[in-house]
Amino acid sequence: MSTLQEQFNNDGYVLLRNFLDKDIINTIYTDARKIFAAQIKRVTGKSVDIDDRDAFENAMFEFFEKDFNAFVNTGKTVQHTFSLHRLGVDPIIENVLKQVGLSNPIIGARAAMQFNSRFLSKDGSKHWKLDAHQDWRTGQGSLDSTVIWFPMVDAGADIGALQVIPGSHKTGLRESSTSGYQGGITAELKDEDFVQTEFQVGDILVFSAFLIHQSGNNITNNIRWSVQLRYNNLDEPTFIDRGYPMAYIYKPETELVTPDFPSVEQLKGVFS
Ligand SMILES: O=C(O)CCC(=O)C(=O)O
């Protein structure tokens, strides 16, 4: 067994330094900001420089306040970029999954991106950060189901990088107030058991879906942009025996989101 796998089995996670090409991460980050910038222009009338971090993020907050619905939909749209999904199936990712023991990895859920800031939450709600949880409850895949998490900006305690409880992946599936992402483990967990992770761009955290973890507290005025990739192992016997359950449900809206749209003329315009 490799030392990497031993460490992963023991602690439930490994933090790999300088693992991803910074340009690959920057492309994902840039694609997301460009998509937001297009809607920021529409909603606020402002053309923002996506590389002027504070100005761009202030424009994000303004967009959030002015058109929440469009903000939510744009937030969903940035989850669908080619760059993000290309990374999710990159051989470098496939190989690291194999190194920690997933002999036959398969995507567990769509690659996802988060942009955490208290300024992107309604009415002081805590929806921008996640309480202590185990991802297995939402994925319910193989027992060696694995998550890769990394920030697209340097991230330590102040900007709320993940906090994990080493070894907690071996303590079983814990009771939770929900099976979704809000809510969390109901048992009292000790603050001092959590380890605060810290990242430079390029570092990644690879962790068991049973590892107890939570969002850190982003006390800065900046957004903590991060990516999460989730995988199962097709060879894991209980996953096979349970018939490869897929607990993620993607479904279409039942109603037209833009009533009376499109007109025949609009369609003719597209195809003329
Ligand atoms: O990025 C975060 O703050 C939380 C992410 C997380 O815990 C998860 O995706 O399971």
Side-chain angles (χ1 to χ4, degrees):
M1 192 183 288
S2 69
T3 9
L4 193 70
Q5 186 167 4
E6 264 176 46
Q7 198 188 335
F8 182 83
N9 287 352
N10 201 46
D11 298 339
Y13 69 96
V14 283
L15 210 165
L16 303 175
R17 300 284 174 202
N18 206 6
F19 184 82
L20 289 176
D21 186 333
K22 291 185 177 51
D23 288 341
I24 291 182
I25 298 176
N26 201 41
T27 303
I28 298 171
Y29 181 32
T30 300
D31 285 351
R33 284 174 298 159
K34 278 186 182 163
I35 292 169
F36 271 112
Q39 286 295 322
I40 287 170
K41 173 98 181 79
R42 183 185 71 82
V43 170
T44 70
K46 290 178 188 157
S47 296
V48 278
D49 175 0
I50 62 166
D51 292 319
D52 183 339
R53 189 172 179 189
D54 289 346
F56 174 73
E57 294 185 353
N58 282 329
M60 288 270 292
F61 304 148
E62 189 181 341
F63 172 28
F64 175 85
E65 295 299 333
K66 288 205 161 128
D67 192 341
F68 180 64
N69 190 42
F71 185 91
V72 169
N73 283 322
T74 307
K76 289 180 182 165
T77 299
V78 301
Q79 314 288 323
H80 292 229
T81 60
F82 280 32
S83 53
L84 173 64
H85 290 267
R86 211 178 281 130
L87 175 66
V89 294
D90 193 286
I92 193 173
I93 296 290
E94 187 176 357
N95 286 337
V96 79
L97 292 168
K98 288 185 173 162
Q99 280 180 50
V100 297
L102 280 72
S103 51
N104 197 359
I106 188 161
I107 294 165
R110 272 197 306 232
M113 184 187 298
Q114 284 194 350
F115 22 93
N116 290 46
S117 161
R118 65 190 179 288
F119 302 117
L120 300 176
S121 80
K122 284 272 181 208
D123 309 325
S125 74
K126 286 202 337 179
H127 283 186
W128 58 279
K129 64 203 255 285
L130 302 185
D131 286 343
H133 64 281
Q134 293 164 304
D135 281 10
W136 198 86
R137 193 172 277 283
T138 42
Q140 300 183 45
S142 60
L143 289 179
D144 51 2
S145 178
T146 295
V147 183
I148 296 181
W149 186 99
F150 64 88
M152 296 191 284
V153 292
D154 292 345
D158 283 359
I159 202 165
L162 279 200
Q163 300 170 349
V164 303
I165 302 187
S168 55
H169 62 309
K170 292 184 190 164
T171 60
L173 182 63
R174 309 293 286 270
E175 287 294 322
S176 174
S177 58
T178 175
S179 59
Y181 274 107
Q182 296 306 321
I185 292 174
T186 46
E188 280 291 312
L189 299 168
K190 294 199 208 105
D191 282 351
E192 60 267 30
D193 288 345
F194 283 92
V195 167
Q196 174 69 59
T197 57
E198 313 232 334
F199 300 77
Q200 301 283 305
V201 173
D203 301 345
I204 66 167
L205 182 72
V206 184
F207 62 96
S208 157
F210 284 97
L211 188 76
I212 299 177
H213 62 286
Q214 64 186 11
S215 306
N217 197 15
N218 180 358
I219 57 169
T220 73
N221 288 335
N222 285 116
I223 296 174
R224 196 211 62 198
W225 297 81
S226 63
V227 164
Q228 304 111 51
L229 309 170
R230 297 184 166 80
Y231 302 90
N232 287 313
N233 181 6
L234 287 166
D235 289 346
E236 196 276 311
T238 68
F239 192 37
I240 298 173
D241 286 350
R242 294 188 305 125
Y244 290 145
M246 179 52 73
Y248 266 84
I249 302 163
Y250 304 127
K251 54 178 190 180
E253 289 279 0
T254 49
E255 303 296 329
L256 287 177
V257 293
T258 312
D260 305 320
F261 176 84
S263 67
V264 173
E265 283 66 34
Q266 283 169 313
L267 274 177
K268 281 186 184 156
V270 169
F271 296 113
S272 61

